[in-house]
Amino acid sequence: MLNLILFGPPGSGKGTQAARIAERYSLLHLSTGDMLREELRNESALGKEAKRFIDGGHLVPDEVIIGMISDKIDATSEEVDGYLFDGFPRTQAQAEALDKLLELKGTRIDGLLALEVSEDEITQRILKRGESSGRSDDRDPDIIRNRFRVYLEETAPVAEHYEQQDKVIRLPGEGSIDTIFESLCSAIDKLED
Ligand code: ADP
């Protein structure tokens, strides 16, 4: 199995790249942001609980996210060559829970691929995405700033966690989508060797 984490600040292009990587390497793409938006659309109890956190640019509580990811993995019957986590883990507690979950399945994270993009570029990208995405959390500069602050304070430590396991690969997240995809693929191919 090949299990990867695609990591980076909000708006760093994780979703775009994750879809392509999942296809090329036959991985199951697990995006907690997409799962939460589906819950919101379905107006489920989980969706209603998550909404106020998302709208404020805060993180949804760890137990909600961990439960959601583990249910999704258990509910997946298709044969996959591995998992590609996108937007998860976002806190130290989520990283520890993920490590345990994979260990129970007799597998582990092989690499964390971190896309590096400046805060200025991120704000521009998210505001542009907000014009068409229909995501209310993409339209307000104050909420975007809050998401970036949460990223630095709560999510950056996740890279430290995997740094200690020597699994972090940092890559430039600015440039064309194709160029970034190619550099991600060559990093993944090296991991597989
Ligand atoms: P982005 O990377 O652009 O911030 P996502 O789609 O990954 O977008 O996430 C949107 C929102 O959903 C986040 O701002 C957060 O409120 C919530 N969210 C997504 N994933 C997680 C997670 N792993 N832990 C906590 N909250 C999450």
Side-chain angles (χ1 to χ4, degrees), residues 9-11 14 32-34 36-37 53-54 57-60 65 87-90 94 126 129 135 137-138 147:
K14 298 187 295 288
T32 44
D34 287 350
L36 289 170
R37 280 184 288 278
F53 295 102
I54 297 174
H58 303 288
L59 293 181
V60 174
I65 297 289
F88 173 87
R90 246 173 162 100
Q94 291 179 20
I126 296 181
R129 180 170 75 184
R135 281 177 57 172
D137 61 339
D138 281 351
R147 282 157 65 195

Side-chain angles (χ1 to χ4, degrees), residues 14 53 59 70 80 99 113 162 177 182:
K14 298 187 295 288
F53 295 102
L59 293 181
S70 112
V80 290
D99 289 351
L113 303 155
Y162 288 102
I177 291 177
E182 287 314 321

Side-chain angles (χ1 to χ4, degrees), residues 2 4 21 25 113 183-192:
L2 175 70
L4 304 170
I21 295 169
Y25 296 93
L113 303 155
S183 70
L184 284 164
C185 289
S186 56
I188 296 169
D189 292 342
K190 276 194 204 119
L191 278 177
E192 282 193 307

